[in-house]
């Protein structure tokens, strides 16, 4: 996404940007091939761990969290449900699910296109939540919802938080709300045991970064670069320094996103000390550009396995 990183430290979106949480990995789960993929029977238990609990468990095992991002409803909600199960079976530790929005200022070309396709097919928040209510009990990893602030305000912050808690959501990322305006969100999230993840950037002043990491729950999201997110040839070496600075300010886990799209990126960022790696645009592109939903799921499986393998 095109992001102007102001000295104030929050994300200011100029052009259509692309903010997606790129991923991280180190979870050795049983792999279920999508080549023979069939929906699982509904289970009766939801994931046992939230975001922070997942990071604590992984840290005790010396592992890094694998956090893929996909857009709900692209190409359709049925495929999204299947994709969530594929990602979970291939080793996702947390899955970030994007809620499509008509004015996605934090999204670049890939995810903006995915949101447009999803909305054109009639995807809405109620349909996404209904799908999640069925799918979440079948997953072993928690889901963090990625949404803009306006859909939350339209529903009412208290009602929104209670509703997503009801369907089993553990985390929330709202990229277009600066720290100073997160008070109500943080109160209602805490009341409903939803972990509100906040973002810090390469241009965030030190004092502001410390305030952000203090307020963030679940993990701290480190934006790895300035400008448009999406696939890149390399990850900025400055990320290593930024990670050290954040870790000097907090003991909370730090996950890195923006521009991480290859196994070598994942391995490099994990080696720099990230607790989690977020991969978004590369995942979304696979599902959005596949010849068919079935082909998309197969390609998603293969790509996810390659990323997970880079951390073993």
């Amino acid at each position: 996404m095109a992001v102007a990183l102001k000295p104030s430290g929050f994300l200011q979106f100029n052009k259509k940007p692309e903010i997606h949480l790129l991923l991280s990995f180190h979870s050795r789960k049983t792999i279920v091939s999508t080549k023979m993929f069939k929906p699982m029977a509904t289970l009766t238990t939801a994931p046992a761990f939230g975001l922070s609990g997942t990071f604590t468990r992984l840290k005790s095992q010396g592992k890094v969290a694998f956090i893929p991002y996909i857009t709900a409803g692209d190409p359709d909600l049925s495929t999204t449900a299947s994709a969530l199960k594929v990602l979970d079976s291939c080793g996702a530790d947390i899955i970030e699910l994007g809620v499509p929005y008509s004015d996605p200022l934090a999204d670049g070309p890939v995810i903006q296109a995915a949101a447009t396709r999803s909305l054109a097919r009639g995807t809405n928040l109620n349909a996404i939540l209904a799908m999640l209510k069925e799918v979440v009990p079948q997953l072993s990893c928690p889901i963090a919802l990625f949404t803009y602030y306006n859909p939350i305000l339209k529903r009412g912050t208290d009602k929104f938080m209670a509703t997503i808690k009801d369907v089993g959501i553990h985390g929330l990322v709202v990229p277009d709300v600066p720290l100073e305006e997160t008070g109500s969100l943080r109160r209602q999230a805490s009341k409903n045991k939803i972990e509100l993840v906040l973002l810090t950037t390469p241009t965030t002043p030190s004092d502001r970064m410390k305030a952000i990491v203090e307020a963030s729950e679940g993990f701290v999201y480190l934006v790895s670069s300035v400008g448009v997110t999406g696939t890149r040839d390399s990850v900025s070496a400055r990320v290593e320094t930024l990670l050290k600075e954040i870790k000097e300010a907090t003991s909370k886990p730090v996950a890195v996103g923006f521009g991480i799209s290859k196994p070598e990126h994942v391995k490099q960022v994990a080696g720099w000390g990230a607790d989690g790696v977020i991969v978004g645009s590369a995942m979304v592109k696979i599902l959005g550009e596949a010849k068919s939903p079935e082909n998309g799921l197969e390609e998603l499986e293969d790509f996810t396995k390659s990323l997970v393998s880079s951390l073993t």
Side-chain angles (χ1 to χ4, degrees):
M1 68 189 193
V3 182
L5 297 168
K6 306 281 282 185
S8 57
F10 64 86
L11 300 179
Q12 173 138 355
F13 309 113
N14 292 329
K15 300 192 178 185
K16 304 293 182 184
E18 183 163 333
I19 197 173
H20 312 289
L21 301 188
L22 307 150
L23 18 45
S24 150
F25 352 180
H26 246 91
S27 186
R28 296 170 177 79
K29 300 179 183 177
T30 302
I31 302 297
V32 177
S33 174
T34 60
K35 276 90 174 175
M36 301 295 292
F37 182 78
K38 296 188 187 307
M40 299 163 54
T42 301
L43 305 179
T44 57
T45 57
F49 294 97
L51 308 188
S52 56
T54 295
F55 277 103
T56 298
R57 174 177 57 81
L58 292 171
K59 184 176 181 179
S60 71
Q61 300 169 355
K63 297 177 181 179
V64 174
F66 160 36
I67 311 173
Y69 168 102
I70 59 173
T71 299
D74 184 42
D76 53 57
L77 282 176
S78 176
T79 303
T80 299
S82 295
L84 292 172
K85 297 171 190 176
V86 168
L87 292 170
D88 182 51
S89 70
C90 287
D93 296 298
I94 296 166
I95 300 173
E96 188 182 2
L97 183 66
V99 176
Y101 182 53
S102 58
D103 189 22
L105 296 180
D107 293 313
V110 172
I111 300 179
Q112 182 185 358
T116 299
R117 290 191 297 266
S118 179
L119 291 171
R121 291 183 175 91
T123 303
N124 57 48
L125 183 59
N126 286 337
I128 293 169
L129 294 173
M131 178 273 293
L132 287 171
K133 192 159 190 174
E134 294 297 320
V135 174
V136 168
Q138 303 177 41
L139 305 177
S140 64
C141 68
I143 291 182
L145 209 62
F146 179 102
T147 181
Y148 291 89
Y149 197 23
N150 192 55
I152 298 175
L153 290 174
K154 283 182 66 176
R155 186 167 289 236
T157 303
D158 53 348
K159 184 178 179 181
F160 179 88
M161 294 294 182
T163 302
I164 65 172
K165 175 189 177 182
D166 225 26
V167 302
I169 296 298
H170 285 85
L172 181 66
V173 183
V174 186
D176 58 341
V177 180
L179 177 64
E180 293 78 7
E181 298 176 26
T182 60
S184 175
L185 278 176
R186 289 160 57 195
R187 286 191 296 273
Q188 290 299 325
S190 177
K191 177 182 175 182
N192 289 280
K193 295 181 170 55
I194 300 294
E195 294 173 289
L196 182 64
V197 178
L198 301 182
L199 299 86
T200 184
T201 76
T203 60
T204 302
S206 179
D207 288 348
R208 185 176 181 81
M209 177 271 286
K210 291 175 182 177
I212 289 170
V213 302
E214 174 67 24
S216 189
E217 297 292 340
F219 63 91
V220 176
Y221 178 75
L222 171 59
V223 175
S224 71
S225 61
V226 178
V228 178
T229 65
T231 59
R232 285 185 174 82
D233 291 332
S234 63
V235 180
S236 170
R238 184 152 183 244
V239 170
E240 184 174 13
T241 301
L242 292 169
L243 279 166
K244 290 178 180 177
E245 291 174 356
I246 295 172
K247 285 178 172 290
E248 287 175 358
T250 185
S251 60
K252 294 176 183 178
V254 184
V256 179
F258 271 48
I260 302 175
S261 59
K262 302 175 182 178
E264 51 267 38
H265 294 167
V266 170
K267 188 171 184 177
Q268 183 178 43
V269 171
W272 285 339
D275 301 292
V277 186
I278 305 158
V279 175
S281 295
M283 295 288 195
V284 173
K285 188 174 182 179
I286 286 171
L287 290 173
E289 296 184 359
K291 294 179 181 178
S292 68
E294 294 75 19
N295 286 340
L297 291 170
E298 290 183 5
E299 292 175 30
L300 184 71
E301 177 193 350
D302 290 341
F303 181 56
T304 301
K305 286 179 179 178
S306 72
L307 293 169
V308 173
S309 295
S310 70
L311 293 177
T312 58

